[in-house]
Amino acid sequence: MTVAILMGSRSDLDTMKKAAGILKEFNVAYELKVLSAHRAAESVREYVQTASARGIRLFICGAGMAAHLAGAVAGQTTLPVIGVPLSGSALAGQDALLSTVQMPKGVPVATVAIDGAYNAGILALQMLALADPTLAARLEEFRRKMTEEVLQANTGLE
Amino acid sequence: MTVAILMGSRSDLDTMKKAAGILKEFNVAYELKVLSAHRAAESVREYVQTASARGIRLFICGAGMAAHLAGAVAGQTTLPVIGVPLSGSALAGQDALLSTVQMPKGVPVATVAIDGAYNAGILALQMLALADPTLAARLEEFRRKMTEEVLQANTGLE
Amino acid sequence: MTVAILMGSRSDLDTMKKAAGILKEFNVAYELKVLSAHRAAESVREYVQTASARGIRLFICGAGMAAHLAGAVAGQTTLPVIGVPLSGSALAGQDALLSTVQMPKGVPVATVAIDGAYNAGILALQMLALADPTLAARLEEFRRKMTEEVLQANTGLE
Amino acid sequence: MTVAILMGSRSDLDTMKKAAGILKEFNVAYELKVLSAHRAAESVREYVQTASARGIRLFICGAGMAAHLAGAVAGQTTLPVIGVPLSGSALAGQDALLSTVQMPKGVPVATVAIDGAYNAGILALQMLALADPTLAARLEEFRRKMTEEVLQANTGLE
Amino acid sequence: MTVAILMGSRSDLDTMKKAAGILKEFNVAYELKVLSAHRAAESVREYVQTASARGIRLFICGAGMAAHLAGAVAGQTTLPVIGVPLSGSALAGQDALLSTVQMPKGVPVATVAIDGAYNAGILALQMLALADPTLAARLEEFRRKMTEEVLQANTGLE
Amino acid sequence: MTVAILMGSRSDLDTMKKAAGILKEFNVAYELKVLSAHRAAESVREYVQTASARGIRLFICGAGMAAHLAGAVAGQTTLPVIGVPLSGSALAGQDALLSTVQMPKGVPVATVAIDGAYNAGILALQMLALADPTLAARLEEFRRKMTEEVLQANTGLE
Amino acid sequence: MTVAILMGSRSDLDTMKKAAGILKEFNVAYELKVLSAHRAAESVREYVQTASARGIRLFICGAGMAAHLAGAVAGQTTLPVIGVPLSGSALAGQDALLSTVQMPKGVPVATVAIDGAYNAGILALQMLALADPTLAARLEEFRRKMTEEVLQANTGLE
Amino acid sequence: MTVAILMGSRSDLDTMKKAAGILKEFNVAYELKVLSAHRAAESVREYVQTASARGIRLFICGAGMAAHLAGAVAGQTTLPVIGVPLSGSALAGQDALLSTVQMPKGVPVATVAIDGAYNAGILALQMLALADPTLAARLEEFRRKMTEEVLQANTGLE
């Protein structure tokens, strides 16, 4: 395993699978896990403390409302932690965004857009590519294709 | 010790002392402690797990920004946890308020107003009074005095 | 009766029943009541003033918009008052949250998440457990089961 | 007395005096009163119930944070109630604005701008002028002068 | 005609009819009018300037987004103006609320809740009752019935 | 005169002078005027209706709170109107921003940043340059210099 | 071509077509283009740098979320740029509004309402009319008809 | 050079130096650069395109208001980009936060707290440590010291 994709609730799975999808596309191993900073705090601790030994290099954590999962993980590791604030509450993810991004001095969470699990996967790949020139090259190729697709969206526009 | 007053940073002390002040006025024992959900997660855990044995009956937790302290404590105990969102960030406590109050199903935090440490102390007393008729009677007396003071504010008004 | 579950409007019943549900699960007696701080102010007053004599130990109050019910109750008792801000307005409960939590010095409302009636019930149990060791033990057992359920959500995940 | 100017705290006096000032300018009798919806609920009730007998025709209520004063008064009278949300909290009056204006069906509060006590006085005069043609004429004259003053602000501008 | 009910767009009619409904219930004459502060500024001016002569005593103005209608009317009369911020924009009426309530010194708008046209009607009646004791008595009776209805909502609750 | 720079209050002058300053730098004639959409509505109307005859080609309007000035002008002309939301209220210009930008269908206001009077001047020049190739060339030169200044900010940085 | 209508994604087409529609009604030539400030930055640059030579006189740019398209274009031209913040994100366009309007000193974007593509078209026409008296006259006629339509909305209202 | 620390304006230097400070503490080479996405777009492009050749492995970008710098860089590289939303505008960094974090699909920015330049430096180190076991070990040691410091803040507390 290289990337741990954690989520606060099973109901977050559909969104968080988008992170898994892009990792799979790049053949990066990952595991999906439902863990709750509040309802299963001890399990979060055990999971994070043993993660490195299982090969985990970074974490992607998705949570809604008072989204503490990414912060709780970041407080127990010095590996990079990517936070995905999830909408779905009455406040449409504004609560989760602030709970994820406004971390105190010394313990950052790399926060992406509300429900931005796909981008969390891309960001994980960019981090891993720092130690993997082949992955770096594939990301550049991926970007080129994405740009092409945007431009092809013009076909038949006028 | 009966009440644990925890705060995320030493700089929160001036605000959180107001909780201590009202408890002292009612002769309820407390301890003040700087603990950080992110920068000292293990200590939070140890503190909470041993709190009951030291006589702690409830927690008052003040924190700012992505204020996870109250939630982190609440995730490790079934004693009541009172959360005090602290201002002082660029967002004036809006981040701390949402991070404290929007807890997920099963793990409540009893949240008071932004910087409302004094009221957190009152709320703690109200909870403790459920098992202490003398304290309950003193709270009623305290309320009567407070009402009188409000009305005395009219002296010389017109 | 031990817990009063009050709501500002009959239309709040579906949400507020979640507080009743968890109390019932723990065999704690409660009464559900529609009372309005604005449209039936006198009844709120009479209800609160006679509550203690009927055995009420704490209040759970749910209201939306300019949600004054919890505050109005808290202004007439020194028993603990739990506030549940309800969504359903154009502002999705942001108005109710601020109207409930931002109480002035001396009169706290223990506020839970927007629409967090279930957690209000849990918080009520935590408060009552301060005077009831059996209830405290049952809450710990309940927490353990909740943690297990979260972890079982991983079944078949990968 | 014709107009009751109520405020939640003595510290609101400087702002609320602006309502008194404009009423004095129009020779409309008023009384200033510190009353708290939460800390002196019973006094609010007594005050409102006896107000009509003392000649009070309408209320101006200023309060901050979870500003319930205007709503509490409105719930106990069918006279018009003007609400002045006060800033001064961490949220700069956003909490007071929503707590004042978002009243439920059947019990309106005529809300003016944050800290808009002066305008509350003008609005009171406009309401009273409905039954007082002389006052109505004076308000028109007052408006004309105000317009002139705005235009005179151009003197020496270029 | 006694009350002018103005709205910025025909699409606001369903909401604004609630103001008309309660006025009709009290036999207060009104007229409904679509006028736009921006798209028909001249007509607003003519309408307001001739309103008094047609017997209009006060205005109820509903508008959404940058809701200027109430303010534009208030700038051209010294009769009371009630503003109803309408939702329906991307911002759910937050824009209309601030555009309606945050009026400058000297020109108040009596603002009610977002989409609160019904309460605007009640507020209009309360203002008119200042000069009409019969109406005042009927409003008190109306309030009593409303309170009863709230309490009857408890039937069969437990 | 080519550009009318209008403001709701004399106290807005310091901010709005920045629009004048950049116009002066480009030798574009302007007039500064204090006009209030609410307190001097008739004057706004007269001013706008005669503006074209005086050579006015576009308007820059600065106002705070329920900032209606730009919208009021836009409703009475088909010349371009640039709106500058001004801070200075309790809400720091959030109210002015929404009141200025959220205009209804058919009557746009070209809104710039809160307190962005300088940029309003630049935008005015860009519009005027559509009919003035010399001005267009000077704007390009101006941009080049601005870019150089940004890059010179690096001098002595490391 | 006279006006470039750019959008960040093909999915924005339905909204942005409203800008095209009003331009077509006035026989002003335009081109619709999908370009992304982030996913096709180089194409934006090439497009803007060659736009002037193709006759483009101004830009209308619609984008959602961290809506950088209008700003990116404005940073590469001194022609006027109109920004249309698009809703559709969890934050309902609040993010796009702030990302579009809060431009730094020297590089304005003329921002219209959230999803206000139609008004962006009107604003473009108003700008072009500065150099085109016929267009100016047609805009005045258009305004007159719009006003009539608003007033005709009263047909059968009472 | 390993890390590029970019900022939109020289006035951002004091905040952004905190990122430099922590990198220096870990002996990681960096360069500080003032570049503006809007006022010096071409320079941003050149800088980013040549960055890799100069050894740059990742970017830290601080900007305020419509903070596009991080996004503009991210659109031109597949190296990791860390965004620091800066306060200092009327909106206290809320605009910068949303402009930085709400990036579209495919182009993430790893966003930290408002004014969180220090944490941006820590996050950069965590990313670089993925390819540098010595750095990883030093980060763990650094965390241990930070935890100790938090706990030492308790000295003399009671």
Side-chain angles (χ1 to χ4, degrees):
Chain A
M1 293 306 149
T2 305
V3 178
I5 304 177
L6 312 182
M7 67 205 82
S9 154
R10 179 91 189 204
S11 62
D12 303 331
L13 187 57
D14 279 355
T15 299
M16 296 311 294
K17 266 184 176 167
K18 293 175 191 165
I22 185 71
L23 292 178
K24 187 177 271 178
E25 204 175 320
F26 279 82
N27 295 318
V28 170
Y30 62 87
E31 60 185 4
L32 280 163
K33 202 87 188 172
V34 178
L35 280 176
S36 165
H38 299 114
R39 290 174 290 186
E42 201 62 16
S43 307
V44 171
R45 181 174 166 263
E46 287 166 21
Y47 183 85
V48 175
Q49 289 183 347
T50 60
S52 188
R54 286 201 315 285
I56 297 295
R57 309 293 304 283
L58 55 80
F59 298 85
I60 296 174
C61 303
M65 299 181 71
H68 296 195
L69 184 56
V73 171
Q76 296 179 19
T77 184
T78 54
L79 295 175
V81 177
I82 300 171
V84 186
L86 298 178
S87 69
S89 70
L91 299 180
Q94 291 188 68
D95 40 7
L97 173 56
L98 296 179
S99 299
T100 303
V101 78
Q102 287 291 84
M103 291 289 289
K105 195 182 168 189
V107 188
V109 164
T111 306
V112 296
I114 296 173
D115 296 328
Y118 181 88
N119 270 7
I122 300 278
L123 181 57
L125 294 169
Q126 290 178 336
M127 292 183 190
L128 294 171
L130 288 171
D132 182 344
T134 312
L135 182 55
R138 289 174 63 204
L139 274 170
E140 286 189 27
E141 177 59 21
F142 179 80
R143 174 69 65 92
R144 268 189 293 277
K145 278 188 190 154
M146 187 180 70
T147 301
E148 273 171 38
E149 279 169 37
V150 170
L151 299 178
Q152 279 166 2
N154 285 292
T155 314
L157 194 62
E158 276 157 301
Chain B
M1 293 306 147
T2 305
V3 178
I5 304 177
L6 313 182
M7 67 204 81
S9 154
R10 179 92 187 203
S11 61
D12 303 332
L13 186 59
D14 278 355
T15 299
M16 296 311 294
K17 266 184 176 166
K18 293 175 190 164
I22 186 71
L23 292 178
K24 187 177 272 178
E25 204 175 321
F26 279 81
N27 295 317
V28 170
Y30 62 87
E31 59 186 3
L32 281 162
K33 201 88 189 171
V34 177
L35 281 176
S36 165
H38 300 115
R39 290 174 290 185
E42 201 63 16
S43 306
V44 172
R45 183 175 165 262
E46 287 166 23
Y47 183 85
V48 176
Q49 289 182 348
T50 61
S52 189
R54 284 201 316 285
I56 297 296
R57 310 293 304 284
L58 55 80
F59 298 85
I60 296 175
C61 303
M65 298 182 71
H68 296 194
L69 184 56
V73 171
Q76 296 178 20
T77 183
T78 54
L79 295 175
V81 178
I82 300 171
V84 186
L86 299 178
S87 69
S89 70
L91 299 178
Q94 291 187 69
D95 41 7
L97 173 56
L98 298 179
S99 300
T100 302
V101 78
Q102 287 291 85
M103 290 290 290
K105 195 182 169 189
V107 188
V109 165
T111 306
V112 295
I114 297 173
D115 296 329
Y118 181 88
N119 270 7
I122 300 278
L123 182 57
L125 293 170
Q126 291 178 334
M127 292 182 189
L128 293 171
L130 288 171
D132 181 346
T134 311
L135 182 54
R138 289 175 63 204
L139 274 170
E140 286 189 26
E141 178 59 21
F142 178 80
R143 174 69 65 92
R144 268 190 293 276
K145 279 187 191 155
M146 187 178 70
T147 301
E148 273 171 39
E149 278 169 37
V150 169
L151 299 179
Q152 280 166 2
N154 284 291
T155 313
L157 194 62
E158 276 156 300
Chain C
M1 291 307 148
T2 305
V3 177
I5 303 176
L6 312 182
M7 68 205 82
S9 156
R10 180 92 188 203
S11 62
D12 303 331
L13 187 58
D14 279 354
T15 299
M16 295 312 294
K17 266 185 175 165
K18 293 175 191 165
I22 186 71
L23 292 178
K24 187 177 271 176
E25 204 175 320
F26 278 82
N27 294 318
V28 170
Y30 62 88
E31 60 187 1
L32 280 162
K33 201 87 187 172
V34 177
L35 281 175
S36 164
H38 300 114
R39 290 174 290 186
E42 201 63 15
S43 307
V44 172
R45 181 175 165 262
E46 287 165 22
Y47 182 85
V48 176
Q49 289 182 347
T50 61
S52 188
R54 285 200 317 283
I56 297 296
R57 309 294 303 283
L58 55 81
F59 299 86
I60 296 173
C61 303
M65 298 182 72
H68 296 196
L69 184 55
V73 171
Q76 296 177 20
T77 184
T78 54
L79 295 174
V81 177
I82 299 171
V84 187
L86 299 179
S87 68
S89 70
L91 299 179
Q94 291 188 68
D95 40 7
L97 172 57
L98 297 180
S99 299
T100 302
V101 77
Q102 287 292 84
M103 291 290 288
K105 195 182 168 190
V107 188
V109 165
T111 306
V112 296
I114 297 173
D115 296 329
Y118 181 88
N119 270 8
I122 299 278
L123 182 57
L125 293 169
Q126 291 178 336
M127 291 183 190
L128 294 170
L130 288 172
D132 182 345
T134 312
L135 182 55
R138 289 175 63 205
L139 274 170
E140 286 189 27
E141 177 59 22
F142 178 79
R143 174 70 63 92
R144 270 190 291 277
K145 278 187 190 155
M146 188 179 70
T147 301
E148 273 172 38
E149 278 169 37
V150 170
L151 299 179
Q152 280 166 2
N154 285 292
T155 312
L157 194 62
E158 275 157 301
Chain D
M1 292 307 148
T2 306
V3 178
I5 303 177
L6 312 181
M7 67 204 82
S9 155
R10 179 92 188 204
S11 61
D12 303 332
L13 186 59
D14 278 354
T15 299
M16 296 311 293
K17 266 184 175 166
K18 294 175 191 164
I22 186 71
L23 292 178
K24 187 176 272 177
E25 204 174 322
F26 279 82
N27 294 318
V28 170
Y30 62 87
E31 59 185 4
L32 280 162
K33 201 87 188 172
V34 177
L35 281 176
S36 164
H38 299 115
R39 288 174 291 184
E42 200 64 15
S43 308
V44 173
R45 181 175 167 263
E46 287 165 23
Y47 183 85
V48 176
Q49 289 182 347
T50 61
S52 188
R54 286 201 315 285
I56 297 295
R57 310 293 304 284
L58 55 79
F59 299 86
I60 295 174
C61 303
M65 298 182 70
H68 297 194
L69 184 56
V73 171
Q76 296 178 21
T77 184
T78 54
L79 296 174
V81 177
I82 299 171
V84 185
L86 298 179
S87 68
S89 70
L91 299 178
Q94 291 187 72
D95 39 8
L97 173 56
L98 297 179
S99 300
T100 303
V101 78
Q102 287 292 86
M103 291 290 291
K105 195 180 169 192
V107 188
V109 166
T111 306
V112 295
I114 297 173
D115 296 328
Y118 181 88
N119 270 9
I122 300 276
L123 182 57
L125 294 169
Q126 291 178 335
M127 292 182 188
L128 294 171
L130 288 170
D132 182 345
T134 312
L135 182 55
R138 289 175 64 204
L139 274 170
E140 287 189 26
E141 177 59 21
F142 178 80
R143 174 70 64 93
R144 267 190 293 275
K145 278 188 192 153
M146 188 179 71
T147 301
E148 272 170 41
E149 278 168 38
V150 169
L151 299 178
Q152 279 165 3
N154 284 291
T155 312
L157 194 62
E158 277 155 302
Chain E
M1 292 306 149
T2 305
V3 177
I5 303 177
L6 312 182
M7 67 205 82
S9 155
R10 179 92 188 203
S11 62
D12 303 330
L13 187 57
D14 279 354
T15 299
M16 295 312 294
K17 266 184 175 167
K18 293 175 191 164
I22 185 71
L23 293 178
K24 187 176 271 177
E25 203 174 320
F26 278 81
N27 295 317
V28 170
Y30 61 87
E31 59 186 4
L32 281 162
K33 201 86 188 172
V34 178
L35 280 176
S36 165
H38 299 114
R39 290 173 290 185
E42 201 63 16
S43 307
V44 172
R45 182 176 166 262
E46 287 166 22
Y47 182 85
V48 176
Q49 289 183 347
T50 61
S52 188
R54 285 201 315 285
I56 298 295
R57 309 292 304 284
L58 56 80
F59 298 86
I60 296 173
C61 302
M65 299 181 71
H68 296 195
L69 184 56
V73 171
Q76 296 178 20
T77 184
T78 54
L79 295 174
V81 177
I82 299 170
V84 186
L86 299 178
S87 67
S89 69
L91 299 179
Q94 291 188 69
D95 41 7
L97 172 57
L98 297 179
S99 300
T100 302
V101 79
Q102 288 291 84
M103 291 289 288
K105 196 181 168 190
V107 188
V109 165
T111 306
V112 295
I114 297 173
D115 295 329
Y118 181 87
N119 270 8
I122 300 277
L123 182 57
L125 293 168
Q126 291 178 335
M127 292 182 189
L128 294 170
L130 288 171
D132 182 345
T134 312
L135 182 55
R138 289 174 63 204
L139 274 170
E140 286 188 26
E141 177 59 21
F142 179 80
R143 173 70 64 92
R144 269 189 292 277
K145 278 187 190 155
M146 188 180 72
T147 301
E148 274 171 38
E149 279 169 36
V150 169
L151 300 178
Q152 279 166 3
N154 285 292
T155 314
L157 194 61
E158 276 156 299
Chain F
M1 293 306 147
T2 305
V3 178
I5 304 177
L6 312 181
M7 68 204 81
S9 156
R10 179 93 187 203
S11 61
D12 303 332
L13 186 59
D14 279 354
T15 299
M16 296 311 294
K17 266 184 175 166
K18 293 176 190 163
I22 187 70
L23 292 178
K24 187 177 274 177
E25 204 174 321
F26 278 82
N27 295 318
V28 170
Y30 62 88
E31 59 186 4
L32 281 162
K33 202 88 189 171
V34 177
L35 281 176
S36 164
H38 300 115
R39 290 174 290 184
E42 201 63 15
S43 307
V44 172
R45 182 176 166 261
E46 287 166 23
Y47 182 85
V48 176
Q49 289 182 348
T50 61
S52 189
R54 285 201 317 284
I56 297 296
R57 310 292 304 283
L58 55 82
F59 299 85
I60 296 174
C61 302
M65 297 181 72
H68 296 194
L69 184 57
V73 170
Q76 296 178 21
T77 183
T78 54
L79 295 175
V81 178
I82 299 171
V84 185
L86 298 179
S87 67
S89 70
L91 299 179
Q94 291 187 69
D95 41 8
L97 172 57
L98 298 179
S99 300
T100 303
V101 77
Q102 287 291 85
M103 291 289 291
K105 196 181 169 190
V107 187
V109 165
T111 306
V112 295
I114 296 173
D115 296 328
Y118 181 88
N119 270 8
I122 300 277
L123 182 57
L125 293 169
Q126 291 178 335
M127 292 182 188
L128 294 171
L130 288 171
D132 182 345
T134 311
L135 182 55
R138 288 175 63 203
L139 274 170
E140 287 189 26
E141 177 58 21
F142 178 81
R143 174 69 64 92
R144 268 190 292 277
K145 278 187 191 155
M146 187 179 71
T147 301
E148 272 170 40
E149 278 169 36
V150 169
L151 299 179
Q152 279 165 3
N154 284 291
T155 313
L157 195 62
E158 276 155 302
Chain G
M1 292 307 148
T2 305
V3 177
I5 303 176
L6 312 182
M7 67 205 82
S9 155
R10 180 93 188 202
S11 61
D12 303 331
L13 187 58
D14 279 355
T15 299
M16 295 311 294
K17 266 184 175 167
K18 293 174 190 165
I22 186 70
L23 292 178
K24 187 177 271 176
E25 204 174 321
F26 278 81
N27 295 318
V28 170
Y30 61 87
E31 59 186 4
L32 281 162
K33 201 88 189 173
V34 178
L35 281 176
S36 165
H38 299 114
R39 290 173 291 186
E42 201 62 16
S43 308
V44 173
R45 182 176 165 261
E46 287 166 21
Y47 182 84
V48 176
Q49 289 182 347
T50 61
S52 188
R54 286 201 316 284
I56 296 296
R57 309 292 304 285
L58 55 81
F59 298 85
I60 295 174
C61 303
M65 298 182 71
H68 297 196
L69 184 56
V73 170
Q76 296 177 19
T77 183
T78 54
L79 295 174
V81 177
I82 299 170
V84 186
L86 299 178
S87 69
S89 70
L91 298 179
Q94 291 188 70
D95 41 7
L97 173 56
L98 297 180
S99 300
T100 302
V101 79
Q102 287 291 84
M103 290 290 289
K105 196 180 166 190
V107 188
V109 165
T111 306
V112 295
I114 297 173
D115 295 329
Y118 180 88
N119 270 8
I122 300 278
L123 182 57
L125 293 169
Q126 291 179 334
M127 291 182 189
L128 294 171
L130 288 171
D132 182 345
T134 312
L135 181 55
R138 290 174 63 205
L139 274 169
E140 286 188 28
E141 178 59 20
F142 179 80
R143 174 70 65 92
R144 268 190 293 277
K145 278 188 191 154
M146 188 179 70
T147 301
E148 274 171 38
E149 279 168 38
V150 170
L151 300 178
Q152 280 166 3
N154 285 292
T155 313
L157 194 60
E158 275 157 300
Chain H
M1 293 307 147
T2 306
V3 178
I5 304 177
L6 312 182
M7 68 204 82
S9 155
R10 179 92 188 205
S11 62
D12 302 332
L13 187 58
D14 278 354
T15 299
M16 296 311 293
K17 266 184 175 166
K18 293 175 191 164
I22 186 71
L23 293 178
K24 187 177 272 178
E25 204 175 322
F26 279 81
N27 295 316
V28 170
Y30 62 86
E31 60 186 2
L32 280 162
K33 201 89 190 171
V34 177
L35 281 176
S36 164
H38 300 114
R39 290 174 290 185
E42 201 63 17
S43 307
V44 173
R45 182 175 166 262
E46 287 166 22
Y47 182 86
V48 176
Q49 290 182 348
T50 60
S52 188
R54 284 201 316 285
I56 297 295
R57 310 293 303 285
L58 56 79
F59 299 85
I60 295 174
C61 303
M65 297 182 72
H68 296 194
L69 184 56
V73 171
Q76 296 178 21
T77 184
T78 54
L79 295 174
V81 177
I82 300 171
V84 186
L86 299 179
S87 68
S89 70
L91 299 178
Q94 291 188 68
D95 40 7
L97 172 56
L98 297 179
S99 300
T100 303
V101 78
Q102 287 291 86
M103 291 290 291
K105 195 181 169 188
V107 187
V109 164
T111 305
V112 295
I114 297 173
D115 295 329
Y118 181 88
N119 270 8
I122 300 278
L123 182 57
L125 293 170
Q126 291 178 334
M127 292 182 188
L128 293 171
L130 288 170
D132 182 344
T134 310
L135 182 55
R138 288 174 64 203
L139 274 171
E140 287 189 26
E141 177 58 21
F142 179 80
R143 175 69 64 92
R144 267 190 293 275
K145 279 187 190 155
M146 187 179 70
T147 301
E148 272 170 40
E149 278 169 37
V150 169
L151 299 179
Q152 279 166 2
N154 284 292
T155 313
L157 194 62
E158 276 156 301

